[in-house]
Amino acid sequence: MADINGKMHAQAILDEVRAAGKKCKLAVVLVGDNPASIVYINMKKKACEQVGFDFELFKLPEDSPQSEVLALIDKINDDDGITGAIIQQPFPAHLNKGEILERLSPKKDVDCLHPQNVGLAVSGTGRILPCTPAGCIKLLKREGISIAGKRAVVVGRSDIVGKPLALMLLAEHATVTICHSRTENLAEECRNADILVAAIGSPKFITADMVKRGAVVLDVGVSRLAGKKVCGDVDYESVSKIASYITPVPGGVGPMTVAVLIENCLKAWELTHG
């Protein structure tokens, strides 16, 4: 078994972005005070500092009306000094998520959540790609793990990870199955996988009896247990004994998500400046 060192690969991507020497700026909009969101934002800020990008946080109160959020997004769209922007999720329940995501200019949508960018990514013609799915594909390629012809099983069907990652694996010529909470014989489906991706947000859900010996296992989940210990969707201790490659949590897919986001910011600059 070999751990896939996401920190190492992420740092390599950040080094490549820094070497490009472009003056970019990332803006983040946060509505409310979600503690997890603040942690993620600080990670993005730190990554910007590493590559020499400017960073600005736009913070709105939890009870901000839809009109105020949209007005801020319009301001960001019109600011030529801002290269890329993120509307940090989750949103407060009273806000219209779809309208907010569509309001951000596709040229600045470095999270790849605007319908136009999602469509381009699905068609295989997008340059700005969903951060976590793209990070997973990059991890496999950078480790020299073959995707073409392999059976890939993605457990989870979210719009942010499961669905786009399944399509990206398909584009790499894998045979792909998507599983979810209503999948019958889930363990059997998982055992068929040469590449198994866990993206459901349920701590230690994937156990050794669900994994084929020699499979490559990508753990996208992040959960906090008692005592604030972080773990993924995979029972690392048992699965690591039979997998050929596995991503640890923390230190696996997470750092790649941030690195791809920063890389997307550079791509957004290139798209704007030709």
Side-chain angles (χ1 to χ4, degrees):
M1 182 279 301
D3 270 1
I4 298 178
N5 190 334
K7 288 184 179 180
M8 177 186 72
H9 292 298
Q11 188 59 55
I13 292 172
L14 293 177
D15 290 343
E16 291 165 8
V17 172
R18 185 176 185 87
K22 304 303 181 185
K23 194 62 177 177
C24 302
K25 180 177 180 179
L26 175 66
V28 177
V29 175
L30 175 65
V31 185
D33 293 291
N34 184 292
S37 292
I38 293 170
V39 170
Y40 294 137
I41 289 169
N42 286 335
M43 291 168 61
K44 294 161 187 174
K45 180 181 179 182
K46 183 179 178 181
C48 283
E49 292 170 350
Q50 283 189 51
V51 300
F53 286 3
D54 291 331
F55 176 92
E56 185 170 1
L57 174 62
F58 295 87
K59 196 168 181 299
L60 294 174
E62 179 88 17
D63 60 354
S64 297
Q66 184 86 1
S67 58
E68 188 175 345
V69 179
L70 295 177
L72 175 56
I73 295 172
D74 288 341
K75 177 184 174 183
I76 289 171
N77 287 339
D78 293 337
D79 188 339
D80 292 337
I82 294 175
T83 312
I86 300 164
I87 319 299
Q88 186 68 43
Q89 298 188 64
F91 301 136
H94 70 279
L95 295 177
N96 183 323
K97 173 181 172 180
E99 186 179 19
I100 289 172
L101 295 179
E102 288 188 37
R103 192 66 161 247
L104 182 62
S105 168
K107 293 181 179 180
K108 297 189 178 187
D109 169 37
V110 291
D111 251 348
C112 193
L113 295 175
H114 190 284
Q116 179 177 318
N117 288 337
V118 172
L120 290 171
V122 167
S123 71
T125 58
R127 287 202 66 204
I128 294 176
L129 299 173
C131 299
T132 299
C136 290
I137 298 294
K138 286 177 181 289
L139 277 181
L140 294 172
K141 290 185 173 182
R142 284 176 174 265
E143 286 286 330
I145 297 169
S146 175
I147 303 174
K150 299 297 176 64
R151 289 187 174 274
V153 174
V154 179
V155 186
R157 53 178 170 178
S158 72
D159 292 336
I160 295 176
V161 180
K163 290 177 185 176
L165 179 52
L167 290 167
M168 292 172 74
L169 286 165
L170 187 64
E172 295 291 336
H173 310 296
T175 300
V176 183
T177 300
I178 302 178
C179 295
H180 45 80
S181 59
R182 297 188 184 183
T183 299
E184 295 182 357
N185 303 316
L186 176 60
E188 184 178 341
E189 294 287 352
C190 291
R191 283 192 293 270
N192 288 327
D194 302 307
I195 299 171
L196 178 62
V197 183
I200 51 176
S202 181
K204 300 186 179 183
F205 181 85
I206 302 294
T207 52
D209 62 302
M210 300 171 71
V211 180
K212 179 170 70 174
R213 182 167 294 278
V216 176
V217 180
L218 301 181
D219 191 349
V220 179
V222 179
S223 298
R224 289 193 179 274
L225 303 178
K228 296 186 177 180
K229 183 179 179 181
V230 175
C231 76
D233 289 347
V234 177
D235 181 14
Y236 177 87
E237 190 171 338
S238 65
V239 173
S240 63
K241 294 184 173 80
I242 62 173
S244 58
Y245 291 87
I246 188 170
T247 57
V249 177
V253 174
M256 289 296 289
T257 298
V258 177
V260 172
L261 173 70
I262 299 301
E263 186 180 50
N264 280 349
C265 202
L266 174 61
K267 289 178 179 178
W269 185 95
E270 293 170 342
L271 288 170
T272 302
H273 292 77

